[in-house]
Amino acid sequence: MSLTPIGESRQKVTVASLKEKKLRHEPITCLTAYDYSSARLVDEAAIDIVLVGDSLAQTMLGYENTLSVTIDEMLHHTKAVRRGVKHALLVADMPYGSYHTSPDEAVRNAARFVKEAGAEAVKLEGGEKRADLIRRIMDAEIPVAGHIGLTPQSVNVMGGFKVQGKTLNAIEQLMRDAVALDRAGVACIYLEGIPREVAAMITAEIETPTIGIGAGPDCDGQVLVFHDILSLTFAAPAKFVRRYGDAAAEIAHAVQAFRRDVLSRQYPSDAESYHLPKETRSALEAVLERKRAMRGR
Ligand code: KIV
């Protein structure tokens, strides 16, 4: 099934076209995707950015948080998503530990996302303190997306997943972070888990498009996690999550119906079975008849 009407041509989304959208005050859309089928659905729905978020640690791999996911796991999922995306900008998260030890290793790892997995930009968490590293990665011709506010890879430093930027000092630091990333020339900045008022100030102050998650409606764009909008997370949603479907209920319903049909021998039906060609069937019946006759002697 394709959601793109036949004949409708869509422009490829690029880092430059995101910036043009901000200038035109056109909202930017972003969703996570972690495999081929979700990537196709998201891309064919004309979403601007497909993000292979390290949230796949929880949604796809069942880890407690994002800290454990490895670069090889992220590359594996990014390759699958690449095969499903035609028009959206494909951004991949650099996982915890892949850019924290040395700038050389960070550049090498960022290049793996482009070279091996086909990502068009990499995302890494942190503001002011990452600006030099981001410049190094961009010097290697790799666009970078920033991510500030509630940065899940800092969960142990933050003492939990808490809304950030609630004091004057914290607001000031967030502003410095956003301006540092803006000056470094990032493709976009994800603003996660910060008060609406702070996100609005940042968005008005910088030229880089901001993409909010739990950051209110005044960002240049919005991102949500694929599994959150479809109720596939087995947990109560965060305040900012809007659920647009109940895939868990749909899947549970289908799986239970299949089990019932197998147990009651309703599945498969004759129409769902393959049959022998007529001549083979007649020949087989003749062979079986001969065997029965020989046994009866
Ligand atoms: O990993 C992720 O899904 C993200 C988004 C929530 C921004 O980083």
Side-chain angles (χ1 to χ4, degrees):
M1 184 190 71
S2 173
L3 298 177
T4 311
I6 294 165
E8 185 186 304
S9 67
R10 270 176 61 204
Q11 295 277 313
K12 174 80 187 87
V13 179
T14 62
V15 170
S17 66
L18 292 183
K19 300 208 169 175
E20 284 158 17
K21 278 200 164 207
K22 173 159 181 149
L23 288 175
R24 291 198 300 265
H25 302 288
E26 270 176 42
I28 297 167
T29 54
C30 175
L31 278 173
T32 66
Y34 312 112
D35 60 14
Y36 172 75
S37 50
S38 59
R40 269 200 72 162
L41 290 167
V42 170
D43 189 61
E44 290 179 11
I47 293 291
D48 295 310
I49 306 174
V50 172
L51 170 66
V52 187
D54 60 354
S55 52
L56 71 81
Q58 292 120 305
T59 56
M60 299 295 286
L61 304 177
Y63 291 127
E64 184 75 16
N65 54 46
T66 58
L67 298 179
S68 319
V69 71
T70 66
I71 187 154
D72 286 332
E73 286 167 332
M74 289 300 300
L75 287 168
H76 170 83
H77 284 275
T78 306
K79 287 178 197 176
V81 168
R82 175 71 281 167
R83 294 189 278 267
V85 171
K86 280 205 178 83
H87 297 97
L89 185 77
L90 177 53
V91 180
D93 254 339
M94 293 190 69
Y96 176 67
S98 69
Y99 58 95
H100 301 78
T101 50
S102 80
D104 284 347
E105 200 190 350
V107 173
R108 234 186 336 268
N109 284 332
R112 289 189 71 191
F113 278 96
V114 176
K115 215 177 173 69
E116 296 175 33
E120 292 162 307
V122 296
K123 171 161 87 58
L124 45 94
E125 297 183 3
E128 214 174 11
K129 67 180 173 189
R130 301 271 182 251
D132 289 340
L133 175 62
I134 287 171
R135 284 195 181 87
R136 282 283 306 272
I137 297 174
M138 289 175 58
D139 277 350
E141 319 304 339
I142 302 170
V144 175
H147 184 162
I148 58 174
L150 194 173
T151 45
Q153 293 175 9
S154 319
V155 59
N156 293 327
V157 178
M158 294 182 302
F161 297 103
K162 297 175 183 162
V163 173
Q164 303 293 300
K166 294 213 276 196
T167 64
L168 287 184
N169 280 345
I171 295 168
E172 212 172 291
Q173 182 58 53
L174 271 174
M175 220 41 185
R176 277 203 299 271
D177 288 336
V179 168
L181 295 181
D182 188 42
R183 288 194 181 136
V186 294
C188 59
I189 304 177
Y190 288 82
L191 300 178
E192 179 166 355
I194 61 174
R196 169 183 182 166
E197 297 82 357
V198 180
M201 275 167 49
I202 292 173
T203 301
E205 181 69 23
I206 62 175
E207 284 175 18
T208 306
T210 60
I211 316 285
I213 175 160
D218 306 305
C219 302
D220 297 306
Q222 297 292 329
V223 55
L224 281 174
V225 166
F226 185 81
H227 286 53
D228 280 341
I229 67 167
L230 289 165
S231 315
L232 275 171
T233 51
F234 307 100
K239 176 180 184 170
F240 59 82
V241 170
R242 187 175 294 177
R243 291 183 150 170
Y244 289 90
D246 193 350
E250 281 278 315
I251 292 169
H253 181 76
V255 170
Q256 285 158 14
F258 166 72
R259 178 175 180 271
R260 261 195 320 274
D261 282 357
V262 173
L263 294 184
S264 62
R265 301 192 186 283
Q266 300 291 300
Y267 177 82
S269 67
D270 187 56
E272 288 160 327
S273 308
Y274 296 109
H275 292 96
L276 282 173
K278 226 172 169 178
E279 316 79 66
T280 316
R281 197 168 163 168
S282 314
L284 181 64
E285 271 162 17
V287 171
L288 294 176
E289 186 49 45
R290 267 204 306 280
K291 280 195 172 167
R292 271 195 293 276
M294 281 172 71
R295 270 202 301 270
R297 268 196 215 146

